[in-house]
Amino acid sequence: MMETTLILSGLGIAAATLASILWSIVSPERRIWPPQRYTAITPILVWVPTFSLFGVLIVLGVLGWGILAFPNWLRFGVGIPLILFGNFVVWTEVAHFGIAQTGGAKGELRTTGMYRYSRNPQYMADMVIVGGWMILTSSPSALIVGTAAILVLIAAPFAEEPWLKEQYGSEFEEYWASTRRFL
């Protein structure tokens, strides 16, 4: 019962987040992401769903630990390095941007660091973390919710890029033309 509730909660968070991203893609003038204005409530609206979804994934992974027959070399030899590498990339870039800009506040266009290789290294790193967790835990429930989370992370740049073009104009267009969205 608890696991079903967690799966439904995780899928609900992912669906609501994906819906807000899709809305932002279709109606950029009334976008939800990135926020129209960064206010005191913005961090709550951005980080509560994000950390809730990651929290659900962690609990589901622990509850379903090892149910799927993934070999240990894959679980521990691939899953753990993916989680560590993803966290390194995310937190290195957060250190450069700051929490506010990572959460949608206006700031400078970053084209250095990991952004030399991808326009979205933080989203990619989050996908790597989620994928690593799904492999490490070999939990069917974590696979279900993790897949939904990855779909959200794939969609997010499509809402952000028009905003970035609006904010940075030709500087972003040059960057866009020379750097891949994902690797």
Side-chain angles (χ1 to χ4, degrees):
M1 181 68 175
M2 180 174 138
E3 190 170 5
T4 301
T5 301
L6 285 169
I7 291 169
L8 293 174
S9 297
L11 291 175
I13 294 165
T17 305
L18 184 59
S20 70
I21 289 168
L22 294 175
W23 171 266
S24 300
I25 292 167
V26 173
S27 300
E29 68 284 350
R30 296 181 301 188
R31 72 179 182 272
I32 297 168
W33 181 253
Q36 296 276 350
R37 273 182 337 131
Y38 191 89
T39 66
I41 198 163
T42 302
I44 295 166
L45 297 173
V46 171
W47 297 116
V48 167
T50 300
F51 287 120
S52 296
L53 186 54
F54 271 87
V56 166
L57 271 170
I58 290 168
V59 173
L60 287 172
V62 170
L63 290 175
W65 188 267
I67 290 175
L68 299 173
F70 292 177
N72 282 340
W73 68 264
L74 178 65
R75 292 178 63 198
F76 297 98
V78 175
I80 290 174
L82 287 175
I83 293 166
L84 293 174
F85 176 73
N87 273 284
F88 172 78
V89 170
V90 166
W91 295 110
T92 298
E93 292 305 331
V94 167
H96 285 100
F97 274 118
I99 297 293
Q101 190 173 347
T102 300
K106 294 177 185 172
E108 68 178 51
L109 178 64
R110 183 156 165 78
T111 60
T112 59
M114 298 305 281
Y115 284 84
R116 289 179 297 201
Y117 310 108
S118 166
R119 296 192 310 263
N120 299 284
Q122 290 187 52
Y123 288 133
M124 288 187 55
D126 284 336
M127 287 183 244
V128 167
I129 293 166
V130 171
W133 184 248
M134 291 172 7
I135 292 167
L136 175 64
T137 64
S138 66
S139 162
S141 300
L143 278 171
I144 293 166
V145 175
T147 300
I150 289 171
L151 290 173
V152 169
L153 294 164
I154 289 169
F158 293 93
E160 280 185 13
E161 288 183 348
W163 178 79
L164 290 166
K165 183 178 177 185
E166 178 184 307
Q167 296 300 308
Y168 304 107
S170 62
E171 184 183 4
F172 177 73
E173 288 177 4
E174 289 173 24
Y175 175 63
W176 183 88
S178 64
T179 309
R180 294 180 178 156
R181 178 176 289 127
F182 300 113
L183 287 179

